[in-house]
Amino acid sequence: MKKSEKIAGSVANYVDERTGAAKWLKKNLTKVFPDHWSFMLGEICLYSFIILLLSGTFLTFWFDPSQREVVYNGSYAPLSNLTMSASYASTLHISFDVRGGLLMRQIHHWAALIFMAGIIAHLLRVFFTGAFRKPREFNWLIGVGLVTLGIVEGFLGYSLPDDLLSGTGIRIAEAILQAIPVVGSYLAFFAFGGAFPGHVFIPRIYTVHVLLLPGIFLALITVHLMLVWYQKHTQYPGPGRTEKNVVGYPLMPVYMAKAGGFFFIVFGVTAFLGAVASINPIWLYGPYTPGQISAGSQPDFYMGWLDGLVRMAPPIETHAFGHTISWNILIPGLIIPGILFTGMALYPFIESWITGDKTEHHLLDRPRNVPNRTALGAMSLAFMLIILINGGNDIIATHFHLTINQIMWFTRIGVIVIPPIVFVITKRLCLSLQRADRELVLHGKETGRLVMLPHGEFVEIHQELTPAQKFILTQHEQPEPLAIPDTDAGGVRNPAGIKGKIRSRMSKANAEQVSAPSETEAKAIDGGHH
Amino acid sequence: MNFGFKKVASYRRHRFAAPALIVVALISLGTTFSMASALTGGPHMVGAEQTTLVQEGKEIFARGCSSCHGINAEGGNIAPALVGVGAAAVDFQVGTGRMPMADMSQQAMRKRPVYNAEQTAALAAYVASLAPGPAAVNDAQLTFERDGNTAQGGELFRTNCAMCHNFAGQGGALSQGKYAPTLMGVEPKHIYEAMITGPQSMPVFSDKVITPAEKLSIIKWIKAAESEPNLGGASLGRVGPVTEGLLVWTLGLGILIGIAVWLAMKAR
Ligand code: HEM
């Protein structure tokens, strides 16, 4: 059987990490990587980043990051002789007067979107399978850093061409900056070198976009991958796969060949999109002028949720000590995103605090076996999706014949009501899936074949699972709730205080499980039934 | 948001100052139009011809419009008075099929016109006879192909219209379920009349705000936008980044994940 070969091969391939530096090269080239489609999401991010570096470098040859006013006399007639910033004019120049320029711009922008979508998909995979658990918390933090910086990098790139839509976006960013109490207006003044829009902002964000952030990205991605290397890749549970080995293919040549091939596939898909689908047609938007605004001004999707939050905030302001605090911008623009991203960063630590689990994990969870975490993830996704919908409320309104107000109120209420509902439903769903697993292990698969017994009774034939299938369905750990005593030895109530109480409540909710059948249970049924 | 319009306005003045000849041409064009709009009837109508037309219009009005607008167009509970709205408003509303209104629960929508050109002209003449108002225009008067300036029209459009109609004239949502419709395929004279009459939630753009010559430039730009090829590939609706985001999650990431699944399967 292939499987047994694989196991044998993996055992042979398994090389202890601490065998010494002399074997380093050999060891690394035969390093084993497990194989699963969801492990390629990270690769999508890496490859689209490389595409961004290449296409971005191409763009720098012609892009002029300056807010100096110029008169356009390039080949796009509907804008000829208009006064505009040099950065807008040079983006037009790249689009219409540089060979392959428009294709490169579109590849750069599509790659940026694929990069962000890939990061989010990758993050979700890591979250739902529990890959962030010890010893990989640090890599989770790097990942959260990469998403955050990706959003910033994308926003800055989007702002560079200085067109009507992106200018509107910068204007909103400035408003968010200004909403920070006390220091806000100074910060905005500093960032724009005076009043909005000023003349220094584009040159400044250009340096950040092409130099500072890409540098930080390279550093973070390198550390990220080195950590994957040293900690080895996680794997999905299966026969022969333990917390102590990695089953898969050696880096050379199998994995390298596959990875190299996949790079060209990512490049191909990006180039295909760049060639056939228009993206950010800045010539239609027109140059940015503070006096203009367009209906349906939107940021890219990775900023869209933030825009949706800002749009749904009710207008609340307070006036104190001669300052106005605009809660309607401060809360959606800074406070909620701050809470979301901090919570996301700290999640591995919060979870291990709740479960009390301090052991290392190299086998991934099947999401259904960790109902609480899965439900929390689904709930957060629901939250993001709802605010994202509100970010596109005007477009949705015109295309689905709804009113902006309907969508606004639906999302305002929905953002509070729907996530908890999603939590409960997802948790129930996980538990029923566990129950179904248990049934499968105990009674086998239904085959649909009916058999008449000698005394006339009909029974359906159930086909027993293979040992490998059984193993997958029963291998998971089943956490016990933490035992936090209500009273200590001296009879004093609640020694751990409120914190302890919360912890024990959460740990109890977390441990809710349908118990996987034990070996004896399975045996008992086997003996009795057939 | 509260944006100032100063910058654009001063720039526009500056561009106008350049060739004196154009200025003269524009001014004369402008006066022609404002004089035309000061007239109550159509510019070519005289005497008896005009009276019969008004009479005919009054009859059509009584049958088709008076149920809502009142027998003498004095207005009613459900529809405004039409005294003083002028021929332009009627020509626009009836010519684009908005009037007679079919569904009162919504904003008046563009439909197939109920009345033909003569009947529309008669209705317009009748309403114009009630009190002076902006006159209707015809396509021949709108020499936008010759006198308009596309780039300048685009600039004016982005300053005055894009906030409701979107940067490419594709339309957009307003509050309370109202919307600004797409401007693609709208006849030049109806664009002109929309600007001078301000239908429903749209403001009136008087000749002081946007001169007649500038209005021609706007029309020229809209027509150019209409026929502009999609330079970067499929246009995705020209509505901005929302459709781009949808495409990247479905087609972009969809294909890549599909291939990843296939690659992982092949290995086994
Ligand atoms: C994670 C990495 C990056 C992201 C998410 C990103 C994103 C973007 C986006 C969304 C735009 C607007 C493009 C448009 O439609 O016009 C842009 C523009 C630009 N990017 Fe990047 N970028 C990244 C990395 C880079 C790098 C590494 C460079 C250069 C070495 C670069 C150079 C440029 C330049 C010059 C522009 C302006 C030119 C133009 O808009 O046509 N970018 N970027």
Side-chain angles (χ1 to χ4, degrees), chain A residues 171-377:
Chain A
R171 182 85 209 214
I172 294 171
E174 191 221 7
I176 292 177
L177 214 57
Q178 279 179 333
I180 301 173
V182 189
V183 293
S185 40
Y186 299 103
L187 279 180
F189 196 81
F190 175 72
F192 289 88
F196 177 85
H199 286 277
V200 298
F201 193 65
I202 301 264
R204 283 181 184 174
I205 64 174
Y206 180 68
T207 312
V208 178
H209 181 80
V210 305
L211 190 71
L212 185 61
L213 282 177
I216 296 178
F217 270 114
L218 270 178
L220 286 180
I221 291 175
T222 310
V223 178
H224 197 72
L225 293 182
M226 271 165 53
L227 279 173
V228 173
W229 195 268
Y230 277 110
Q231 295 172 338
K232 301 196 189 69
H233 207 293
T234 53
Q235 55 189 342
Y236 284 99
R241 301 179 182 183
T242 71
E243 293 283 15
K244 298 223 161 53
N245 69 5
V246 184
V247 180
Y249 294 93
L251 183 72
M252 274 310 243
V254 182
Y255 202 79
M256 276 306 218
K258 277 177 87 168
F262 199 48
F263 171 76
F264 286 105
I265 287 168
V266 175
F267 207 162
V269 169
T270 315
F272 171 75
L273 281 174
V276 303
S278 164
I279 187 165
N280 207 17
I282 49 119
W283 57 92
L284 293 177
Y285 304 160
Y288 181 63
T289 319
Q292 300 176 347
I293 189 163
S294 167
S297 295
Q298 309 277 351
D300 278 347
F301 80 83
Y302 45 82
M303 286 288 281
W305 58 277
L306 197 61
D307 193 29
L309 266 179
V310 174
R311 286 179 190 210
M312 77 167 61
I316 312 169
E317 288 183 351
T318 46
H319 305 271
F321 309 110
H323 285 281
T324 305
I325 303 183
S326 315
W327 297 110
N328 56 336
I329 300 180
L330 198 58
I331 292 178
L334 285 169
I335 296 178
I336 295 182
I339 293 173
L340 286 175
F341 278 81
T342 314
M344 185 156 78
L346 295 183
Y347 184 75
F349 309 100
I350 299 175
E351 189 183 287
S352 92
W353 178 70
I354 291 173
T355 55
D357 182 358
K358 305 279 182 254
T359 53
E360 287 204 359
H361 295 277
H362 302 284
L363 283 179
L364 295 172
D365 285 322
R366 297 171 74 226
R368 69 183 63 175
N369 289 333
V370 199
N372 255 25
R373 180 204 295 147
T374 305
L376 184 72

Side-chain angles (χ1 to χ4, degrees), chain A residues 52-53 56 63 91 105 108-109 112 115 153 157 160-161 209-210 214 280:
Chain A
L52 282 165
L53 280 180
F63 183 69
T91 312
R105 266 195 66 227
H108 191 68
H109 206 135
F115 179 69
E153 174 78 347
L160 282 179
H209 181 80
V210 305
N280 207 17

Side-chain angles (χ1 to χ4, degrees), chain A residues 472-512:
Chain A
I472 292 175
L473 299 188
T474 54
Q475 47 73 37
H476 56 281
E477 290 171 18
Q478 305 210 48
E480 294 290 325
L482 283 181
I484 299 172
D486 263 356
T487 50
D488 67 9
V492 178
R493 271 181 60 76
N494 209 359
I498 300 247
K499 223 169 109 192
K501 241 190 179 153
I502 296 176
R503 190 177 180 195
S504 97
R505 276 286 287 282
M506 286 197 166
S507 150
K508 222 174 261 162
N510 197 55
E512 202 179 320

